[in-house]
Amino acid sequence: MPLLELRNLTRRFAGVVAVDDVSLSIESGEFVTLLGPSGCGKTTILRMIAGFELPDAGEILLDGKNIAEIPPEKRPLHTVFQSYALFPHMTVADNVASPLKMARHDKAAVKAKVHEALDSVHLAERAGAYPHQLSGGQKQRVALARSLVNRPRLLLLDEPLAALDAKLREDMQHELIDLQREVGITFIFVTHAQDEALALSHRIAVMNQGRIEQFDEPSKIYGFPQNRFVADFIGHTNMLEVDVAEATPAHLRLAASELGELVAPAREGAYPGQRGWFTVRPEQVYIGPAADSELKNQFSGKVRSFLYVGDVTTYKVELADGTPIEALLSNSAPGRARFFEVGDEVVVGWRHDAGMFLDD
Amino acid sequence: MKWSSAGGTTRACSSMTSRLGRWAVSLPPTLFLLVFFVAPSLIMIVASFRFPGEYGGLAPLVEHGRWQYTLETYRFFFSDFIYAEIFIKSFAVALATTLICILMAYPLAWLIARSPKRHQDLMVLLAVLPFASNFLIRVYAWMIILGPQAALARATNSVLAVFGFEPVTLLFSPFAVLVGMVYVHLPFMILPLYTNLARHDPALLDAAQDLGANAWQRFWRVTWPLSLPGIFSGSVLVFIPVLGMFAIPDILGGTGDILIGNLIKEQFLGTRDWPFGATLSLMLTLAVLALAGLAAWFARRGVDRHA
């Protein structure tokens, strides 16, 4: 039995559908991320699980039992809020103790559990400090300790890393992964940052306009997006409008309007004459001064611009017909900062088994 | 070496301009306090040691080549328990007014702070609207409301009669004084409380509920402690003016309901014993300062305990 199951969950705000018939099943111990642009309904789903919003239709099952009638304070799950929502008039220790005190645990037990929880987020020595004396990362960790101290069945995290700077965010990502593995509590994480979702999750639900577009492991989401939205939202990609010219069990032959013919991996259900999109990631695209006989799909073009970001350089190449293609080149060769200049004639191409045909 | 000495000069220079700036900024309020607080207080202190003039006012400070001063007023103040009694009664009325104001203002301020933003300004305006009419007119209005012929008194007495009690008069009683005090000072409690409550982060209540707090725990553990600064400023704004108030007991109270304010006013305008009036108001100022000091001490102790 899954730990949490959403069945046909729907929520409307003033006639606008925020969450549209969403079904989702989460296993115990999983780290699941709801990922999508702002306004896609991910936070509304989180607030419905927490009990702050009631669904207009559908069910939320925890351990197989519908929790719709249970008020937020009685649900065996906690939320880590985006603003942390630490109680400013309480010390770190009192903040962490608050869920235990609400439940009237005895004093000695509270003290031991608070110490253990603060220890797990490496903040035991700040127990006597007030929230305003802490840094952003420390507040974050106190909020985590407070939510984990009484061992909820489920932890909901609402964009908890959004307020941190890039370096600290990466540290906290590592800590979150470790913490989740240590405590073994199921995490449901909400974010609009796709890199964060890929880095943290066991599974990602990519959301758009109140619906789940794809629910899968990070590598599947990135490598095998189910539709154009997912391919486009996760990472960078090249997107070409194509018609299917030939479909065999081994491969697809695609016609891109001006560009000519492409060979792509086979896809179930594709039929000749079908319109759709071909997507290929920049890191799958070869860029070189001359053609490579290994590659089936090759086109010549000119370097329009490039972005040098240290470890890699992204080239924007304009093909003969004007189609832009992005190619990624690693800068691992010693002494070489970049390989091509703007205006250089280059050949871009990719393997016949790279990229995907998407029908919508 | 050159670099560091240059840096030192700049720092000295900037610290001097900043010190000048600080002086310039703090001069007006300092002057204000000197002219309107320190000087009058000194005048009152001196006056309390002088003799009353024959027709009111003060007797000359120097007469027949000798300084004329006395401790008579202080002896008088401490010799009769009636003055201490009036002080205690005044503090009790101020305390009761403050507590009733807290009880009445809290739900209202909470309601305003919880209302949609576009309604809040209107509601605050309504709360302070009584100030638009004259203070005395508002207090006289209570004379009519509480008067023996008014519906309120009649209804009260007919209910009392049913239970076999003697009829009561509402007007010219400690009750009427309290009603007037609360009515006049309520907005001074509502405003700071509203300002405080409106600033609370609603996520804190969500977080408390999420962590298992029921409605009562959410109030008692989050809203209430966070609203203490608002309650404190409201209490100061209510307690101190009530302590010196003489118009309300004059109009709504009976002959036995005089407070310190009435007593002081009486010395200056009635019996024309200015030195004793000065002594009384000095005692009042001392009592308020002692109270403020006590409050500050408690507040600091609270902080120490938390830190």
Side-chain angles (χ1 to χ4, degrees):
Chain A
M1 185 168 59
L3 174 70
L4 183 79
E5 208 182 339
L6 310 181
R7 280 192 194 154
N8 310 102
L9 212 55
T10 298
R11 179 76 172 105
R12 294 178 206 91
F13 291 112
V16 181
V17 182
V19 175
D20 189 3
D21 196 33
V22 164
S23 296
L24 194 67
S25 178
I26 293 168
E27 300 297 326
S28 181
E30 260 194 308
F31 194 134
V32 169
T33 296
L34 304 180
L35 172 68
S38 54
C40 73
K42 55 193 193 300
T43 297
T44 306
I45 290 184
L46 208 68
R47 288 180 65 82
M48 284 195 283
I49 299 172
F52 293 118
E53 301 279 350
L54 291 177
D56 291 317
E59 288 180 320
I60 302 170
L61 305 177
L62 188 71
D63 292 319
K65 284 193 284 285
N66 193 347
I67 56 171
E69 300 296 316
I70 303 176
E73 63 266 33
K74 297 242 169 71
R75 298 190 182 191
L77 48 88
H78 292 325
T79 308
V80 174
F81 293 84
Q82 191 172 0
S83 62
Y84 316 136
L86 297 181
F87 304 124
H89 57 295
M90 295 182 195
T91 60
V92 166
D94 286 340
N95 261 286
V96 175
S98 53
L100 302 171
K101 283 184 182 163
M102 314 279 191
R104 304 191 193 291
H105 284 246
D106 73 271
K107 267 193 182 150
V110 168
K111 217 174 163 189
K113 281 183 180 167
V114 166
H115 187 81
E116 190 191 344
L118 281 176
D119 224 25
S120 71
V121 295
H122 318 296
L123 268 179
E125 77 283 2
R126 300 292 277 155
Y130 280 87
H132 68 87
Q133 298 167 316
L134 302 178
S135 69
Q138 288 175 328
K139 285 183 195 169
Q140 176 65 77
R141 303 217 292 267
V142 174
L144 277 169
R146 186 177 69 174
S147 301
L148 291 170
V149 70
N150 65 348
R151 301 255 144 197
R153 302 279 289 133
L154 194 60
L155 189 65
L156 311 173
L157 302 104
D158 184 11
E159 308 227 10
L161 306 184
L164 304 178
D165 60 71
K167 189 101 183 135
L168 198 55
R169 253 172 70 166
E170 205 180 310
D171 291 344
M172 278 308 298
Q173 288 177 7
H174 285 290
E175 274 197 42
L176 268 181
I177 294 172
D178 290 346
L179 190 66
Q180 199 264 342
R181 193 183 311 130
E182 264 170 46
V183 296
I185 288 169
T186 309
F187 279 25
I188 301 181
F189 190 93
V190 156
T191 184
H192 63 268
Q194 41 97 10
D195 55 337
E196 208 163 87
L198 292 172
L200 293 173
S201 329
H202 297 140
R203 287 198 290 170
I204 300 173
V206 183
M207 291 194 61
N208 184 32
Q209 296 182 332
R211 291 168 175 275
I212 293 181
E213 300 279 357
Q214 189 173 351
F215 184 38
D216 225 329
E217 290 163 31
S219 59
K220 296 263 176 56
I221 295 273
Y222 186 82
F224 304 96
Q226 286 305 299
N227 57 40
R228 203 177 150 219
F229 176 82
V230 176
D232 207 30
F233 191 74
I234 311 289
H236 287 276
T237 199
N238 294 297
M239 198 71 78
L240 302 171
E241 207 171 346
V242 293
D243 293 305
V244 177
E246 183 195 68
T248 72
H251 64 263
L252 292 176
R253 209 168 279 282
L254 306 170
S257 47
E258 306 270 310
L259 204 58
E261 230 177 42
L262 308 170
V263 182
R267 184 171 166 97
E268 218 173 300
Y271 54 88
Q274 191 180 14
R275 300 227 71 180
W277 302 85
F278 175 75
T279 173
V280 61
R281 300 276 182 202
E283 69 268 24
Q284 294 174 310
V285 177
Y286 157 86
I287 176 170
D292 183 328
S293 57
E294 294 270 294
L295 300 175
K296 282 255 168 61
N297 306 301
Q298 298 207 59
F299 308 95
S300 55
K302 244 187 202 148
V303 174
R304 266 279 148 247
S305 63
F306 59 82
L307 277 181
Y308 171 75
V309 293
D311 50 350
V312 294
T313 304
T314 308
Y315 292 93
K316 265 203 163 82
V317 176
E318 193 177 285
L319 302 186
D321 68 320
T323 309
I325 291 284
E326 271 188 44
L328 201 88
L329 204 50
S330 162
N331 290 328
S332 51
R336 300 290 286 274
R338 55 178 189 259
F339 296 83
F340 302 104
E341 296 289 343
V342 171
D344 281 359
E345 298 277 350
V346 292
V347 171
V348 292
W350 53 90
R351 290 166 54 95
H352 63 281
D353 55 359
M356 276 187 84
F357 171 72
L358 302 169
D359 48 19
D360 78 305
Chain B
M1 278 328 272
K2 242 180 188 164
W3 285 108
S4 76
S5 87
T9 321
T10 342
R11 209 173 308 136
C13 219
S14 74
S15 97
M16 215 163 86
T17 42
S18 87
R19 218 179 321 166
L20 258 174
R22 232 174 295 164
W23 265 103
V25 171
S26 61
L27 195 62
T30 311
L31 269 179
F32 183 91
L33 279 177
L34 277 175
V35 173
F36 293 107
F37 178 71
V38 177
S41 298
L42 286 175
I43 292 172
M44 287 307 253
I45 291 171
V46 172
S48 71
F49 291 105
R50 291 169 65 175
F51 290 99
E54 238 166 286
Y55 306 103
L58 300 164
L61 193 55
V62 186
E63 218 170 17
H64 313 303
R66 292 183 61 175
W67 287 96
Q68 302 290 320
Y69 59 88
T70 172
L71 287 173
E72 182 60 21
T73 55
Y74 290 90
R75 198 193 59 76
F76 192 60
F77 178 81
F78 288 108
S79 67
D80 197 338
F81 188 65
I82 181 89
Y83 300 113
E85 214 178 282
I86 291 175
F87 261 72
I88 291 167
K89 199 166 84 184
S90 301
F91 274 89
V93 168
L95 190 68
T97 306
T98 308
L99 290 178
I100 295 170
C101 279
I102 293 172
L103 285 178
M104 290 178 73
Y106 209 106
L108 197 62
W110 189 83
L111 193 78
I112 299 174
R114 279 305 167 112
S115 300
K117 272 271 174 288
R118 65 207 146 86
H119 293 162
Q120 288 188 9
D121 290 343
L122 181 68
M123 292 170 89
V124 169
L125 186 72
L126 287 176
V128 297
L129 198 61
F131 284 116
S133 79
N134 182 279
F135 165 77
L136 283 176
I137 291 175
R138 282 181 287 138
V139 179
Y140 275 116
W142 276 104
M143 270 183 96
I144 299 168
I145 297 169
L146 297 173
Q149 297 309 313
L152 185 66
R154 289 199 195 169
T156 312
N157 283 328
S158 59
V159 170
L160 287 177
V162 170
F163 293 100
F165 290 105
E166 292 288 307
V168 294
T169 49
L170 300 178
L171 195 58
F172 306 130
S173 69
F175 169 76
V177 173
L178 206 57
V179 166
M181 292 285 199
V182 168
Y183 164 73
V184 165
H185 294 94
L186 193 58
F188 294 106
M189 187 63 83
I190 294 174
L191 286 181
L193 252 180
Y194 155 72
T195 317
N196 172 287
L197 290 172
R199 272 202 325 253
H200 289 196
D201 179 2
L204 292 179
L205 290 181
D206 277 357
Q209 185 172 18
D210 185 79
L211 295 168
N214 59 34
W216 170 247
Q217 287 171 321
R218 291 200 289 279
F219 174 75
W220 190 238
R221 287 178 183 275
V222 180
T223 305
W224 174 258
L226 286 176
S227 65
L228 285 178
I231 290 178
F232 185 76
S233 14
S235 298
V236 170
L237 290 179
V238 171
F239 190 87
I240 292 176
V242 169
L243 214 46
M245 174 64 69
F246 60 84
I248 291 173
D250 255 3
I251 299 169
L252 299 177
T255 44
D257 297 323
I258 62 162
L259 302 177
I260 316 172
N262 305 86
L263 200 60
I264 295 170
K265 188 202 99 180
E266 188 57 25
Q267 303 314 311
F268 284 97
L269 304 179
T271 58
R272 295 184 177 259
D273 187 347
W274 284 25
F276 190 53
T279 305
L280 287 172
S281 61
L282 216 59
M283 288 298 168
L284 180 59
T285 308
L286 283 179
V288 169
L289 284 180
L291 214 67
L294 211 65
W297 183 73
F298 267 112
R300 176 142 343 142
R301 219 175 63 131
V303 170
D304 287 345
R305 192 160 45 90
H306 280 300

